[in-house]
Amino acid sequence: MTKRRSRFLFALFTIVLVILLVATFVNFTYPFSINGRYYSYSSFISNIKLGEDIGDSYRIVYRADLPNDSTASSNYDELMRSTKNRLGNIVKDEGYNDVTVTNYSVNGEDYIIVTVGNILTYDDETAIENLIGNPATISFSMSNDVDSAFAGASDVANVTSGSQYDSSTGTNSYYIGIEFKDANKIATATEGGGTLYIFLGDTLAFNSGIEIDSAITNGFFAISLGSSDGYTPTLEDANTYANRIRTGLLPLSLTQVDIGSISATYGMGSDIMLAIAMAIFVLAVFIYLIVKYKQMGFLASFNLLFFIVIGLFLLQSIPYVHINFSGIIGMMIGFIIAVDGIITILEKAKAHYQADSKLHVSFKLAQKECTMRTFILNLLVAVCGFICLFMPSMAVQSFGWALFVLSLLSMFSSLALMRLFIAMYLPFNNTDGKKLNFHKGGKNA
């Protein structure tokens, strides 16, 4: 590689790095408006989804009771477990994976607490409150009167959502499917068709009745989502409607008694303190590398900055990633593995240089010797992280995502990016090891 090309590549990578650093750490409002509205940019680090231990959470507290028409107190514990599981699944289906559902008893009354981490905006709070809010039992009627209902929650086997392709228009239509347990009962109640009203408590679930041409004969009823005011429904809309209906199928009757945001488990500002601690740790590593390897230490730090900004971009881009305290530990381990990969290359090159090899030959031999070791180490860590993704605990999943993503990125950083940067550096210095704190130990000492 020529010096001219190396200068161009260093300038190009520097510009790219500056842009990525701004995109990673800086929030700003665009200086121009679109249709009279000014939009803001949210940085990568601001978009990372935080777990409830280091970020604000949203909490809803319910009093749990047996439904009015139920006397099944003998299996109350099972009804409680089922209610908690369904609540958690409903919230997770909306993309809020960091959800904890617990229960406790006070003065003979039972309460359920739903805590959702990663509340980034007011819209998130509104979405969760609208989703589960104050659950009301579902009922079905052929008249606009909830008291004349012919079926209720106990008659529903399942609620699904999906899409169907319309070949005439070339578009997908979306629907909510309700499957009943007793097909004959539903067919008899809907005989002749008419208007079907679905209630959640005393409120219509779809703001109006649904016209059906004939009886529901197979126990399955599909509700199509139509366009309105120029808006075309999406699969996410169908999922949200389906989840809202599922809240009406909860085994226990829930009454909302408290709702609101709560600070992180580790205290207000814990995310800022962790960010400061990690910044100090990273800075200490950079200082060590620069003192230890001089010019190559600067190059290694340059490489690690790319590792950091790309890693943060990936962690904020994957919808399932929530970073809690264990995820922070996973991020630190991923960073250490990346540092280890770079130091291993430099130490091997240093050893070859001391054995009287030329500088460019030393790096070539070092990279060749380190390739398999670095690949296997990062692969094993990635596999461990991947296994953690299937664990039920959100804390373990957070740790797993950090390990899985950053170990693969570390492999790229050590085996590809660092190799390129070394090739870009050597045209400027391929003989003087002292600029790298390398010293001859052989016949030329």
Side-chain angles (χ1 to χ4, degrees):
M1 186 179 296
T2 63
K3 287 185 178 181
R4 182 177 181 180
R5 186 179 181 187
S6 292
R7 288 193 187 97
F8 170 77
L9 288 176
F10 271 122
L12 178 63
F13 274 101
T14 301
I15 293 171
V16 171
L17 179 60
V18 170
I19 294 173
L20 288 175
L21 286 171
V22 172
T24 301
F25 298 104
V26 180
N27 298 317
F28 57 88
T29 299
Y30 293 107
F32 53 85
S33 64
I34 301 177
N35 296 327
R37 180 178 178 182
Y38 286 88
Y39 291 86
S40 297
Y41 170 79
S42 184
S43 63
F44 299 161
I45 197 167
S46 297
N47 285 328
I48 290 180
K49 308 170 190 69
L50 299 178
E52 62 185 72
D53 53 353
I54 58 176
D56 289 346
S57 303
Y58 199 58
R59 181 179 66 182
I60 307 178
V61 182
Y62 298 101
R63 188 184 70 246
D65 302 288
L66 284 169
N68 294 331
D69 59 349
S70 176
T71 58
S73 58
S74 59
N75 65 339
Y76 182 79
D77 290 341
E78 178 57 35
L79 295 178
M80 176 64 77
R81 281 193 294 270
S82 178
T83 300
K84 289 164 57 181
N85 288 338
R86 292 191 189 183
L87 274 175
N89 290 334
I90 288 170
V91 177
K92 287 180 180 179
D93 285 346
E94 284 298 299
Y96 299 95
N97 294 318
D98 191 9
V99 56
T100 304
V101 184
T102 58
N103 67 288
Y104 68 97
S105 299
V106 176
N107 298 327
E109 292 188 329
D110 294 305
Y111 296 87
I112 292 178
I113 302 176
V114 181
T115 305
V116 186
N118 181 41
I119 300 303
L120 299 176
T121 66
Y122 175 77
D123 290 338
D124 289 312
E125 297 181 3
T126 304
I128 295 169
E129 186 173 356
N130 290 339
L131 176 64
I132 55 178
N134 206 351
T137 303
I138 195 170
S139 56
F140 303 84
S141 176
M142 292 302 293
S143 66
N144 194 5
D145 182 8
V146 68
D147 294 329
S148 61
F150 63 83
S154 59
D155 296 296
V156 179
N158 193 22
V159 177
T160 59
S161 58
S163 63
Q164 185 174 5
Y165 181 73
D166 187 345
S167 58
S168 61
T169 62
T171 60
N172 285 322
S173 60
Y174 301 95
Y175 67 88
I176 300 158
I178 301 177
E179 182 181 353
F180 295 95
K181 296 177 182 177
D182 189 340
N184 293 329
K185 175 182 177 180
I186 304 304
T188 300
T190 58
E191 186 176 1
T195 305
L196 174 65
Y197 296 89
I198 302 176
F199 292 90
L200 288 172
D202 298 327
T203 305
L204 282 171
F206 295 94
N207 299 322
S208 63
I210 302 168
E211 297 297 327
I212 56 176
D213 297 330
S214 58
I216 302 173
T217 56
N218 59 358
F220 181 82
F221 178 60
I223 305 168
S224 297
L225 299 181
S227 302
S228 61
D229 297 329
Y231 176 76
T232 302
T234 64
L235 182 59
E236 288 73 19
D237 294 324
N239 291 335
T240 298
Y241 273 114
N243 279 328
R244 188 73 184 92
I245 292 177
R246 290 186 186 110
T247 64
L249 306 178
L250 296 174
L252 294 179
S253 177
L254 302 182
T255 303
Q256 188 183 108
V257 297
D258 187 32
I259 189 170
S261 299
I262 57 175
S263 62
T265 306
Y266 292 146
M268 185 177 298
S270 57
D271 54 341
I272 301 298
M273 297 302 296
L274 283 170
I276 293 173
M278 292 185 69
I280 293 174
F281 171 68
V282 170
L283 182 61
V285 171
F286 287 176
I287 293 173
Y288 170 80
L289 290 172
I290 293 169
V291 171
K292 179 75 172 176
Y293 301 108
K294 295 185 178 179
Q295 291 184 356
M296 195 55 66
F298 282 102
L299 198 65
S301 301
F302 188 68
N303 179 45
L304 289 171
L305 282 174
F306 274 98
F307 172 84
I308 291 170
V309 295
I310 296 174
L312 291 174
F313 168 75
L314 293 175
L315 291 175
Q316 64 94 37
S317 300
I318 302 174
Y320 302 103
V321 178
H322 287 66
I323 298 299
N324 50 31
F325 188 74
S326 61
I328 296 293
I329 301 301
M331 292 171 66
M332 294 179 69
I333 292 175
F335 179 74
I336 291 171
I337 292 173
V339 174
D340 174 74
I342 293 173
I343 289 179
T344 301
I345 293 174
L346 298 182
E347 286 296 315
K348 287 283 187 181
K350 184 177 182 179
H352 283 292
Y353 186 78
Q354 287 177 336
D356 213 25
S357 294
K358 294 182 178 179
L359 192 59
H360 69 279
V361 175
S362 299
F363 276 109
K364 184 177 181 179
L365 293 173
Q367 291 168 355
K368 183 177 180 180
E369 292 174 2
C370 294
T371 297
M372 188 55 64
R373 175 193 180 276
T374 302
F375 176 78
I376 292 176
L377 174 62
N378 284 275
L379 182 63
L380 290 175
V381 175
V383 170
C384 290
F386 184 74
I387 293 173
C388 290
L389 302 183
F390 297 93
M391 299 296 107
S393 169
M394 176 56 65
V396 179
Q397 290 180 21
S398 176
F399 181 74
W401 274 115
L403 280 188
F404 179 68
V405 171
L406 297 184
S407 58
L408 294 179
L409 181 59
S410 172
M411 190 185 303
F412 168 77
S413 172
S414 300
L415 299 182
L417 201 56
M418 191 61 188
R419 178 170 296 191
L420 174 61
F421 289 159
I422 291 173
M424 290 161 53
Y425 170 81
L426 287 176
F428 299 100
N429 176 30
N430 60 3
T431 58
D432 190 357
K434 292 181 180 179
K435 293 182 179 180
L436 284 61
N437 216 9
F438 289 5
H439 301 282
K440 288 289 185 181
K443 62 182 180 181
N444 294 329

